[in-house]
Amino acid sequence: MATFPRGCSPAVRFCQKLNRLKTLDDDMMATSLKRCLSTLDLTLLGVGGMVGSGLYVLTGTVAKDMVGPAVVISFIFAGFASLLAAFCYAEFGARIPKTGSAYMFTYVSVGEIWAFLIGWNVILENMIGGAAVARAWSGYLDSIFNHSIQNFTETHIMQWNVPFLAHYPDLLAAGILILASFFISFGVKVSSYLNHIFSVISMAVIIFILVFGFMLAEPANWSAKEGGFAPFGLSGILAGSATCFYAFVGFDVIASSSEEAKNPQKAVPIATAISLGLAAAAYILVSTVLTLMVPWHSLDPNSALADAFFRRGYSWAGIIVAIGSICAMNTVLLCNLFSLPRIVYAMADDGLFFSFFARVNPVTKVPVNAILVFGILMSTMALIFDLEALVQFLSIGTLLAYTFVAASVIVLRFQPDRISSKGTASTSPNPNSETSPAPTESQTIREDSGELKQYESFSDKLQLVEREVSSEKRGPGQLKAYWEPYLGKLLGDCEPGEVVAFCVLTLIVSSVSLCIVLEFGTNQLQLPIWSFSMLLVVFILAYVLSLTLIWLHEPQSKSKTFQVPLVPLTPAASILINVFLMMKLSYLTWIRFTVWIAVGLFVYFGYGIWHSKEGKRELQPEDMAARYVVLPSGSLVETVEPVQPEGQMDTSAHDFRSPTASTAEENAGKR
């Protein structure tokens, strides 16, 4: 929680209010939701969120239009990039087992307004993702019946020709979303059982595709006669990797479900690793089978797998593939409808969104209001919007969330533990709080004098004693002892974690600048070679220097929960990859993103900032302040003083002392 020093300007206080951090409860396992999900439940949720329509559609599209048979390499690269982001989510999900995913992780380490914007974008991402999958599900099912549903709707109900809207209302897509929302509102176990059923069927179909597909494989389809293994070269493989990266979007549903897991400290990292491994294996093996069954240049992008079996003379296998595709899409729908209401619930529970969505049903232990309202909104989008218009906006919010989560891992790893009001170390650090302030003039003491030794809190006295006993021990966020003689004068006056936070900001700025130069430098910006090369060197040096300065500081001690390996290198690589993929998006996507951010800021400044629970905690009246006084004899007593209004001097000559303090002083005088 942010602290407001006396005399600071309104602008500084306002900035501190925007960047205040969430204060977590001492009991991290306490929740109004129901903790009933096992490691298997979380794993199948993650698999269901990742292995969806992309397996049946994306593989054929990327192989034919962008990469060729080398789509296998593209999925390997994309899987590795997703692993870096998944590491960051797994650490937070295990360390902070609260619902909200990227929103919650940003709130406890970066600041309130950034957390709100991340949550605001994740809400839109889930709504668009669910609506797009519902329309794809409807279109796939309609194609099986020779588009009879579409023809009936256009003929007997209505159709329209409006930009960005579908040609006809997709009643089937809207209906499946409402039906799924209805089932999810019955509780987390019902959602989990449904996901189990569809995931098992989907994985069984994938195994069938692999076994039967390898029996029909023809290595000649990778030969030079058909164009070779990588007909589009390295540039095609990298471009395909950027597209394949979105196939792995969905593992964050595991972190969103951590508040409903029985043992999140172990279940979240294990489920994340297993589900991502299974999804990567499925994409790599299926793309291998697909390009070996038929020549890559003859694939049907809309239904590549079913068409491949049909062309090899096994039309009955296409029906099995269609069943697997529908079941896979069902799992993605369930995961979107599962995680979206929980993010809304987390924001509403913190006071940043309308409190109506923070209500939890006492019987089912799920946020029913959020489930039903946003299920209806999602079905409305699927009813009227075109699929392509929805998908164009799908990726930017996810990449932004990945970037902030990776940055939050670095900030949290190098921040000192915060002392909560109950005297226990909080799980999340707070850079705005004064963890170990230097003694003021009134607190400075001379050991050989007979004056009272006065401290603001008992922890100050304990920390001073610790420094006297072990002066060489350095806390998180401080410069390592080895580098103190070299950089102590330059960085020694900074608060613990302050340099790391600045370096993370520099890391993000240098990543954005580097990717802009790489993506637009020679074409849109038309930079000369010398200018292009110089900017590359400058931004690479800034990136490497930021990493080096972070590494020179002490991290937190080894935690019992999962931690991202090779920090800060792993999160920094994730940040660079995410920013690079964001630069690949169209300018229309950025325009829509800017508009949505503007709407979010209107909601935050109109409602969230005034109803924030952290803001209300700051405004709680505190009439008394406790001080701890060390008498010359070494006795420790507590005094209580009235808090003076800002700008007034404390001229009173007496203290309001507790009975314990008075008794202790009388006993000390007798001695």
Side-chain angles (χ1 to χ4, degrees), residues 279-356:
Y283 278 109
I284 293 169
L285 293 176
V286 168
S287 61
T288 302
V289 166
L290 180 63
T291 52
L292 284 174
M293 286 178 61
V294 294
W296 61 269
H297 51 77
S298 63
L299 291 171
D300 182 3
N302 297 321
S303 57
L305 282 170
D307 182 69
F309 283 106
F310 178 79
R311 291 171 58 189
R312 293 301 300 271
Y314 298 94
S315 57
W316 58 268
I319 299 176
I320 298 178
V321 172
I323 294 173
S325 175
I326 292 175
C327 289
M329 292 181 191
N330 285 339
T331 61
V332 177
L333 278 178
L334 288 173
C335 290
N336 275 279
L337 287 168
F338 185 86
S339 59
L340 171 59
R342 282 152 179 81
I343 296 171
V344 174
Y345 160 77
M347 297 176 66
D349 191 54
D350 290 332
L352 302 186
F353 207 51
F354 306 111
S355 59
F356 171 78

Side-chain angles (χ1 to χ4, degrees), residues 149-299:
I149 301 175
Q150 176 182 349
N151 295 332
F152 178 83
T153 305
E154 291 179 344
T155 304
H156 297 89
I157 300 180
M158 65 180 302
Q159 60 177 318
W160 52 64
N161 292 313
V162 181
F164 302 111
L165 297 183
H167 296 299
Y168 66 97
D170 197 334
L171 300 175
L172 187 60
I176 189 62
L177 283 170
I178 293 177
L179 182 63
S181 301
F182 177 74
F183 278 111
I184 287 177
S185 64
F186 279 103
V188 64
K189 292 303 293 184
V190 175
S191 306
S192 180
Y193 289 147
L194 287 175
N195 184 70
H196 284 193
I197 294 171
F198 292 127
S199 295
V200 169
I201 296 175
S202 177
M203 287 189 289
V205 171
I206 292 173
I207 293 174
F208 166 80
I209 292 172
L210 295 178
V211 173
F212 197 37
F214 274 117
M215 292 172 60
L216 301 175
E218 295 182 0
N221 290 326
W222 283 10
S223 64
K225 180 182 177 181
E226 300 292 347
F229 180 72
F232 296 92
L234 180 62
S235 60
I237 293 176
L238 294 178
S241 299
T243 303
C244 293
F245 178 83
Y246 304 117
F248 297 97
V249 170
F251 60 79
D252 57 330
V253 68
I254 299 175
S256 298
S257 311
S258 59
E259 191 166 340
E260 291 160 288
K262 295 177 182 177
N263 187 5
Q265 287 77 15
K266 292 183 178 180
V268 170
I270 294 174
T272 302
I274 295 176
S275 61
L276 189 62
L278 290 175
Y283 278 109
I284 293 169
L285 293 176
V286 168
S287 61
T288 302
V289 166
L290 180 63
T291 52
L292 284 174
M293 286 178 61
V294 294
W296 61 269
H297 51 77
S298 63
L299 291 171

Side-chain angles (χ1 to χ4, degrees), residues 138-157:
S138 171
Y140 202 94
L141 187 65
D142 192 24
S143 64
I144 296 177
F145 297 100
N146 199 24
H147 301 284
S148 58
I149 301 175
Q150 176 182 349
N151 295 332
F152 178 83
T153 305
E154 291 179 344
T155 304
H156 297 89
I157 300 180

Side-chain angles (χ1 to χ4, degrees), residues 127-136 138 160 165-178 333 374-387 390:
M127 290 180 63
I128 291 177
V133 172
R135 287 198 67 95
S138 171
W160 52 64
L165 297 183
H167 296 299
Y168 66 97
D170 197 334
L171 300 175
L172 187 60
I176 189 62
L177 283 170
I178 293 177
L333 278 178
F374 281 88
I376 293 173
L377 289 176
M378 196 183 295
S379 64
T380 304
M381 293 181 66
L383 180 70
I384 63 175
F385 283 106
D386 183 30
L387 178 61
L390 292 174

